[in-house]
């Protein structure tokens, strides 16, 4: 089954496996474990986010779990993603450890964090984690089109998502088109360029024209492309601001002006350089 469209309320996307994923997620990369992370996730859940994105490599799964329990929200109301650290050996065993740290019986999405050691070796273990229902959906992150195709060729269950650095400045058109053709939903990490894009003059001009903030414009650009988007902040006001993106629309001209900011040349790569 190919990945489906956006749900009737415009806030979630249907994955190829039939599961729904909220378009807006809260990313906790570089949020220190402990109070800072628990407070940030608590603020996000209070502000209406129903999707939290963590990873084994972030070292803050316990804080995410604590905030989830503190929120009092039913487990099934919050979409939780974690990522397999590919420096480790066994995705299935590591999934169990993540579940213990998070204090949950399953994650909604479990993804290979980056293609260290090759694109395919971890996928068997990812599928086992899926079969054992540790994860409802499985996917990858930082995979190029060719790496994605290697996994798909070897897979019984294909990756449902590819989480990559994506924004108007990293508008990886080749990767996006290829993922859409293959029924793989793109998740945009660093949608604000880890903060760097917020001061851009073109983004600022559009924000001023539509009466919104630069962060909202950048996040809305992803939402309007039906992408899952994962902004990060440790400040409550910003967390709330970043969630106010479903009550305005960017005009076609503004979307085109943002598209033109791309610096990747419409890449089908996920990364300009690797860190492993
Ligand atoms: P902070 O966490 O101190 O609030 P990205 O989502 O691309 O990774 O960007 C995250 C960075 O952008 C963080 O440094 C975060 O700072 C900052 N940030 C997030 N939202 C906003 C906002 N609405 N206004 C200003 N800065 C923001």
């Amino acid at each position: 089954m190919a990945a489906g469209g956006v749900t009737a309320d415009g806030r979630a996307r249907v994955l190829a496996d039939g599961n729904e994923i909220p378009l807006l997620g809260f990313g906790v990369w570089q949020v220190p474990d402990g109070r800072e992370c628990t407070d940030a996730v608590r603020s996000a859940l209070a502000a209406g986010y129903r999707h939290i994105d963590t990873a084994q490599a972030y070292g803050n799964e316990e804080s995410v779990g604590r905030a989830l329990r503190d929120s009092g929200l039913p487990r099934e109301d919050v979409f939780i993603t974690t990522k397999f650290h590919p420096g480790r050996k066994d995705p299935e065993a590591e999934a169990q450890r993540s579940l213990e740290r998070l204090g949950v019986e399953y994650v909604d999405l479990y993804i290979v964090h980056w293609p260290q050691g090759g694109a395919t070796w971890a996928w068997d273990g990812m599928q086992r984690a899926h079969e054992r229902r540790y994860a409802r959906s499985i996917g990858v992150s930082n995979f190029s089109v060719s790496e994605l195709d290697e996994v798909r060729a070897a897979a019984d269950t294909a990756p449902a998502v590819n989480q990559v650095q994506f924004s108007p400045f990293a508008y990886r058109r080749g990767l996006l088109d290829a993922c859409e053709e293959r029924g793989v939903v793109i998740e945009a990490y660093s949608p604000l360029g880890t903060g760097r894009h917020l001061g851009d003059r073109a983004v600022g001009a559009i924000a001023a024209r539509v009466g919104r903030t630069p962060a909202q414009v950048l996040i809305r650009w992803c939402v309007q492309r039906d992408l899952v988007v994962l902004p990060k902040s440790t400040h409550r006001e910003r967390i709330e601001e970043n969630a106010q993106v479903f009550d305005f629309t960017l005009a076609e001209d503004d979307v085109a002006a943002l598209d033109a900011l791309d610096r990747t040349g419409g890449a089908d790569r996920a990364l300009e350089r690797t860190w492993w």
Side-chain angles (χ1 to χ4, degrees), residues 81-276:
T81 297
T82 197
K83 309 185 191 82
F84 170 60
H85 188 317
R88 298 181 188 147
K89 293 206 162 28
D90 181 355
E92 183 189 348
E94 297 300 338
Q96 277 180 291
R97 294 191 182 109
S98 280
L99 297 184
E100 276 165 31
R101 287 188 292 267
L102 285 159
V104 296
E105 291 185 351
Y106 66 93
V107 288
D108 296 275
L109 178 62
Y110 187 39
I111 60 194
V112 181
H113 207 152
W114 58 82
Q116 180 175 332
T120 56
W121 70 267
W123 198 248
D124 251 357
M126 297 297 289
Q127 291 183 139
R128 270 185 273 116
H130 185 234
E131 280 156 20
R132 289 181 165 255
R133 304 194 187 282
Y134 300 153
R136 294 185 70 214
S137 297
I138 49 176
V140 296
S141 179
N142 298 302
F143 277 45
S144 65
V145 177
S146 58
E147 287 160 339
L148 196 56
D149 282 343
E150 280 184 60
V151 177
R152 285 165 49 79
D156 296 319
T157 302
V161 308
N162 188 13
Q163 183 178 129
V164 297
Q165 184 200 56
F166 207 95
S167 74
F169 299 82
Y171 180 24
R172 307 175 185 282
R173 212 174 309 213
L175 185 63
L176 175 61
D177 291 348
C179 283
E180 292 289 346
E181 278 167 25
R182 290 160 177 73
V184 176
V185 169
I186 289 271
E187 296 188 283
Y189 76 69
S190 300
L192 314 176
T194 61
R196 290 187 313 281
H197 303 330
L198 295 170
D200 180 84
R201 203 181 306 162
V203 175
I206 293 170
R209 191 160 57 247
V210 300
R212 292 292 176 145
T213 67
Q216 289 170 331
V217 166
L218 291 167
I219 297 165
R220 179 70 203 176
W221 178 87
C222 289
V223 167
Q224 257 170 254
R225 298 198 163 278
D226 300 340
L227 304 179
V228 174
V229 57
L230 304 166
K232 170 260 174 185
S233 174
T234 49
H235 294 87
R236 188 173 50 78
E237 320 76 60
R238 293 176 177 175
I239 292 168
E240 289 170 359
E241 173 188 322
N242 296 349
Q244 305 305 310
V245 292
F246 293 99
D247 57 348
F248 75 106
T249 304
L250 294 168
E252 259 176 53
D253 285 359
D254 290 332
V255 172
L258 291 165
D259 290 353
L261 297 172
D262 174 49
R263 294 170 186 161
T264 70
D268 63 6
R269 294 184 311 276
L271 294 166
E272 276 60 53
R273 65 193 81 82
T274 60
W275 59 80
W276 62 92

Side-chain angles (χ1 to χ4, degrees), residues 43-76:
S43 297
L45 294 171
Y49 294 74
R50 290 295 177 267
H51 173 175
I52 311 292
D53 182 278
T54 183
Q56 291 161 358
Y58 302 168
N60 55 20
E61 289 170 312
E62 285 183 18
S63 300
V64 169
R66 194 168 310 121
L68 179 65
R69 282 190 298 285
D70 290 353
S71 76
L73 287 164
R75 168 68 188 91
E76 61 274 20

